[in-house]
Amino acid sequence: MDPKNSRFSTQISHLALDIGGTLIKLVYFSPNGDNCEGGSIVVGNGCSVVQGRLCFAKFETRKIDDCLDFIRFNILQHSGVQHTNGTARDKLSVKATGGGAFKFADLFKEKLGIVFDKEDEMHSLVCGVNFLLKTVPREAFTYLDGQKEFVQIDHNDLYPYLLVNIGSGVSMIKVDGDGKYERISGTSLGGGTFLGLGKLLTNCKSFDELLELSHQGNNRVIDMLVGDIYGGTDYSKIGLSSTAIASSFGKAISDGKELEDYQPEDVARSLLRMISNNIGQIAYLNALRFGLKRIFFGGFFIRGLEYTMDTISVAVHFWSRGEAKAMFLRHEGFLGALGAFTSYKDQSHSTELKPHHHTVERAVLKCSDDDSFRHTPVTANVNDGEAIECSINLV
């Protein structure tokens, strides 16, 4: 093997992708490089241990060329597996999951010389969640009424639980153990619905733009509340407050207004509330159906947005009468990519991922105007990308 090719396993290694209908998520290992160019390598007990960080990046699937450029310039060339003219020295096998692993396989092979080693999507999601819950401290948390509380996970009492993965659509998976899971339900009303309807109704061009717009809105301008029907009072007999939504977008029926008469931020807010409420309710009903007390929500639809988390939490709290709580994950958007990444341990002559100091650092990967990629610190949402400090055992 060309020695420059082997640098991919020590400098930037084990790239994994989750290519969905809306977003592409990447996870890759990067050594900290404290002691040498290729990272800090400690040899002991017959194994080489490479210490470094798991790094995260995301791209819109419709802008897949941006993802290709990122991998080409930030990973392949810097790792010595690709010539500067963009042609591959040798074919490189990379773990990939999601529908796009099939749809875009030829594109990645043609443009980057990357051959996808495909992993099942549901299996990757479950593996990703199990990895986070078992190895990353303060990963799971609740959020209700503006209060965020981290949840201590008992590894001996983790199963069963319900995983609600909110991507373009929504999958609800009952997890009974490592490798033991079943997709029990789902809904087509997910992140893709939010973005699709949002683009049609508000002219927003991206998910982030639509979310930012929703921050400024007031859904009560468009949603019909219980108080609108009952003259401003609660319907206390059945436990409905006057502020509960009776009908999403219901006021548009009788207001006599056209779409252009409403503020786009109010439309975005109502749309976000409608989809979040729906997901929260369906999730709890499935948990109730199977007697599950733990419900973990993941996927890039949430993005650490307080309003979204609070809406889902309120729905679960309401329908469960306070007996169940919605739980969220700090690395919620990268579950499938993480699961695909951990599957490298199943290959011979490969690596096994193990946590190191359990230190989590905030870092987001951005592209500058001159198409060069770099790490920049962030202080905003944790879901923009957190690097997990860890070690990899070379076996």
Side-chain angles (χ1 to χ4, degrees), residues 20 25 70 152 192 370:
K25 289 77 67 177
F70 173 82
Q152 183 66 37
D370 60 359

Side-chain angles (χ1 to χ4, degrees), residues 219-220 223-229 242-247 251:
N219 67 292
R220 298 182 183 187
D223 291 343
M224 183 180 293
L225 310 182
V226 169
D228 295 323
I229 301 172
S242 61
T243 57
I245 297 174
S247 176
K251 285 183 180 175

Side-chain angles (χ1 to χ4, degrees), residues 187-226:
T187 172
S188 61
L189 305 182
T193 311
F194 176 64
L195 179 56
L197 284 176
K199 290 178 69 175
L200 292 174
L201 296 174
T202 70
N203 293 320
C204 284
K205 303 302 182 184
S206 70
F207 200 100
D208 290 327
E209 183 184 358
L210 188 58
L211 280 179
E212 181 61 32
L213 187 67
S214 71
H215 291 178
Q216 309 163 26
N218 179 6
N219 67 292
R220 298 182 183 187
V221 174
I222 301 178
D223 291 343
M224 183 180 293
L225 310 182
V226 169

